[in-house]
Amino acid sequence: MTKEPAPLPSSKEPMPLLSCDAAGLRWSLARRPGTPPDRARAWMVLLHGAGGDERSLAAWWPWLPPEVLVLNLRAPRPMPRGGWFWYPVHFRRRGTHVSHPEVDGALEQLREVLAALPGAVGVDPALPLVLGGFSQGGALACALGLIDAPRVAGLVLVGTRLLSRAQQRAAHASPAEGRPAFIAHGASDTTIPPAQALRMARLLGERGWHTELVLAPGGHETPEPALPRLRRWIGEQMLPLGPFACLKS
């Protein structure tokens, strides 16, 4: 039986908050302490769910390899009661509705900020980029991976769904050619049912992604058993890649 890796000790350093200008906006982000950009072997950008902020996914940090420069990005749109979101979701009798132009706009903004981040934080843009997210942030990360696979080296998608807009545009996009994707979902999630994770894994596989799917006990949250699996996945799938031009300007 393979022993799962233990988390790194939690840092007592204050969370470094940074900013970046892109897409006509001033973006806020948090960088995990302890990984100098010039010593990173990969970099990872995490997108929080609706109502969260750049601190929301810091609980993942102790489980991520120290060779990875980790950035949590804040969504650009404020919610009335606090928190931030990537694109609006409209709730109707027949379910949720997401505007295709709103998703396209969010994807274009994300492209621009990803292109600007290496210069803002001092990371080599040729290093492998892992794009990950939870819930709404994961849906946006998945959409970008489906329609613009050369932009990222790997995907981490937790507690999220497949956007119909991503499915439409994926049919006309270049395949991923074996790039890895890690998907985790709570088996008792009632906000986004686990069937969404299965559907996402199936489409990613059809589009050339090599997927690993973890269904674990839990609701609409990051399943704790998935975190050591995520750390091992990054060590096995992402760190051996070495520098390559995965981010288009």
Side-chain angles (χ1 to χ4, degrees):
M1 181 176 179
T2 303
K3 184 178 179 181
E4 297 289 5
L8 299 172
S10 296
S11 174
K12 298 184 182 299
E13 299 177 53
M15 183 182 295
L17 295 178
L18 309 170
S19 60
C20 171
D21 290 308
L25 297 168
R26 186 75 167 165
W27 296 73
S28 179
L29 56 147
R31 179 173 66 84
R32 178 179 63 169
T35 305
D38 60 350
R39 296 186 181 181
R41 292 174 55 196
W43 60 299
M44 185 174 192
V45 176
L46 300 179
L47 313 178
H48 61 77
D53 62 21
E54 69 272 34
R55 305 169 189 263
S56 296
L57 300 180
W60 295 17
W61 290 2
W63 291 98
L64 301 175
E67 302 93 336
V68 179
L69 178 70
V70 185
L71 304 170
N72 278 20
L73 189 63
R74 181 203 289 175
R77 306 175 76 155
M79 298 188 77
R81 296 185 180 181
W84 304 78
F85 68 103
W86 303 95
Y87 52 83
V89 177
H90 306 284
F91 297 92
R92 299 176 177 176
R93 288 185 179 180
R94 295 184 179 180
T96 59
H97 173 74
V98 177
S99 163
H100 289 175
E102 294 280 7
V103 171
D104 289 344
L107 285 168
E108 190 55 38
Q109 285 185 324
L110 180 59
R111 281 193 185 99
E112 290 192 35
V113 74
L114 288 177
L117 278 179
V121 300
V123 66
D124 182 353
L127 291 179
L129 166 62
V130 185
L131 183 62
F134 172 76
S135 197
Q136 191 183 76
L140 194 64
C142 179
L144 188 65
L146 282 168
I147 69 175
D148 198 357
R151 187 170 293 270
V152 294
L155 292 172
V156 175
L157 310 170
V158 179
T160 189
R161 69 172 73 246
L162 178 66
L163 293 171
S164 60
R165 182 56 168 167
Q167 190 168 3
Q168 284 183 357
R169 296 183 62 183
H172 308 287
S174 300
E177 299 179 344
R179 292 173 189 246
F182 181 90
I183 304 171
H185 211 100
S188 55
D189 190 341
T190 56
T191 302
I192 300 178
Q196 288 282 344
L198 299 174
R199 182 178 170 220
M200 178 180 291
R202 184 166 56 250
L203 180 60
L204 285 168
E206 291 172 357
R207 298 306 304 162
W209 289 88
H210 178 70
T211 61
E212 178 174 339
L213 174 61
V214 179
L215 292 178
H220 192 55
E221 59 198 357
T222 303
E224 288 190 12
L227 289 169
R229 297 272 295 273
L230 172 59
R231 184 179 179 192
R232 187 174 63 188
W233 176 87
I234 291 177
E236 293 175 353
Q237 299 291 334
M238 304 310 308
L239 294 182
L241 291 178
F244 69 102
C246 63
L247 184 65
K248 298 183 295 183
S249 60

